[in-house]
Amino acid sequence: MRILTLAAAIGLAVSGAALAQPMTTEDLAALDTDGDGKVSQAEFDVFLDAAFVKLDANGDGIVTVQESSAVMTPEQFAAADANGDNGLSRSEFKIAGQKDFVAADSDGDGSLN
């Protein structure tokens, strides 16, 4: 799903067509709330929660294809929609994001840098 690139697309802390573009050093720095030079899973989870709220325009607790269309392709949406109900729950969104985090953690140290 490439949730990691949502940081740039949503405007980080929660400002896309930008999904195809990787996160920059500046994007990661914005997520690094404790300033240790790394983005931990906990810091990323905070971002995922904020991103979900930002995407859920009507506040009903479900992100629809339409609500996510600026930052996700239909294929990315479908991959994250585990139960196939055409809506992303916070849990589905977070699970997809956590998978992206693990995939991006190339050295397996539990952080992105």
Side-chain angles (χ1 to χ4, degrees):
M1 175 171 162
R2 303 308 329 180
I3 291 285
L4 290 176
T5 55
L6 279 176
I10 294 176
L12 277 167
V14 94
S15 88
L19 269 188
Q21 299 182 17
M23 288 179 68
T24 66
T25 302
E26 292 79 20
D27 294 335
L28 288 171
L31 297 178
D32 178 20
T33 57
D34 66 7
D36 68 355
K38 301 182 258 184
V39 176
S40 67
Q41 181 70 60
E43 289 169 320
F44 194 71
D45 286 347
V46 169
F47 161 72
L48 289 174
D49 286 336
F52 184 86
V53 169
K54 180 71 174 177
L55 288 174
D56 183 17
N58 66 2
D60 68 352
I62 300 293
V63 172
T64 64
V65 172
Q66 293 79 16
E67 288 172 321
S68 68
S69 65
V71 295
M72 296 171 73
T73 67
E75 294 79 18
Q76 291 165 325
F77 185 92
D81 183 14
N83 65 4
D85 68 352
N86 294 315
L88 296 182
S89 66
R90 185 179 296 265
S91 176
E92 288 172 318
F93 186 80
K94 200 163 198 172
I95 288 168
Q98 290 168 343
K99 287 178 183 177
D100 285 345
F101 183 94
V102 169
D105 181 14
S106 57
D107 62 5
D109 71 350
S111 64
L112 305 178
N113 48 12

